[in-house]
Amino acid sequence: MSDQFEFPPFYSFPPFFTIQPNLTTREKQLGLWRELILGYHTNLKIKSLIVHDCPLWKNNAIGRELSHEDIKKVMIDFVKSGHGEWVDDANTRCRILWRKPEQLASDIYEWAEKNGYINSVCTVFELHSGEDVNGMSFEGADEELLRRALSILEKGGSCTIFKGDTSYEDGIKFF
């Protein structure tokens, strides 16, 4: 992935930075915020969003920024969508789920099939950072999210997880 992010055209539209009162317009606007947050963090491989320190809330080029109240609305909607989850009780840090665990589980199993890992073993490290995963949706993913996806596969009988000396040395055998 690129180490730069190309902002979509709607990011330069001043009303985007004020949550709209009309329900239909607001729903569309919140959908665009979800798309922006997810796209930005996925593209740059950023695993969490620090609410008070997120550069997305302010567009200096047009002199607009989201109010604190509107940031809360955007983040509540983002977490409700299933692409984020609060890491702390104060709701100041949000884990970004580049892909939902079920989607990630499907991606991992598809990768295992395409790369000959059925009835073979690989490590969590290989899934996270191995050469075979370049460009995959789970490359560099948050370890907890990766483990949740593997747990889904294990519960479904598609793999078994073996404990290693460290968490990254844990093995996965796909069936």
Side-chain angles (χ1 to χ4, degrees):
M1 291 275 170
S2 170
D3 62 350
Q4 294 190 359
F5 179 74
E6 186 174 326
F7 286 91
F10 62 80
Y11 190 70
S12 295
F13 186 57
F16 181 63
F17 290 87
T18 303
I19 298 300
Q20 299 301 303
N22 178 282
L23 182 61
T24 305
T25 305
R26 182 173 55 243
E27 286 300 319
K28 182 171 173 112
Q29 180 185 29
L30 289 172
L32 292 173
W33 273 108
R34 287 190 302 270
E35 177 185 320
L36 177 65
I37 293 167
L38 192 58
Y40 178 83
H41 287 82
T42 301
N43 185 273
L44 297 178
K45 297 283 187 189
I46 301 170
K47 299 173 188 174
S48 64
L49 181 155
I50 309 300
V51 176
H52 69 276
D53 194 31
C54 180
L56 298 176
W57 309 143
K58 187 174 187 177
N59 184 337
N60 290 325
I62 62 170
R64 295 299 303 258
E65 71 181 281
L66 213 51
S67 72
H68 292 291
E69 190 60 36
D70 286 350
I71 290 170
K72 285 180 187 175
K73 291 176 185 172
V74 167
M75 288 307 300
I76 287 168
D77 177 75
F78 185 73
V79 170
K80 187 178 172 185
S81 78
H83 281 290
E85 55 190 24
W86 295 114
V87 175
D88 60 349
D89 292 336
N91 295 351
T92 61
R93 187 167 168 230
C94 178
R95 176 180 293 113
I96 303 296
L97 305 179
W98 300 341
R99 307 258 298 152
K100 294 178 182 176
E102 300 79 13
Q103 295 169 318
L104 214 52
S106 177
D107 293 349
I108 290 169
Y109 195 76
E110 200 173 292
W111 167 85
E113 286 181 316
K114 287 182 180 175
N115 289 282
Y117 282 97
I118 302 301
N119 293 317
S120 294
V121 176
C122 71
T123 64
V124 171
F125 177 80
E126 287 174 292
L127 275 181
H128 181 272
S129 305
E131 291 177 16
D132 290 346
V133 299
N134 287 339
M136 299 303 296
S137 65
F138 49 89
E139 176 190 13
D142 181 85
E143 185 180 349
E144 184 177 325
L145 177 59
L146 194 59
R147 288 187 176 281
R148 272 197 260 160
L150 289 170
S151 178
I152 291 168
L153 290 173
E154 189 172 39
K155 285 177 185 163
S158 299
C159 78
T160 298
I161 302 169
F162 302 97
K163 286 287 181 198
D165 290 338
T166 67
S167 64
Y168 272 121
E169 292 175 359
D170 287 355
I172 304 111
K173 182 172 184 176
F174 294 98
F175 306 109

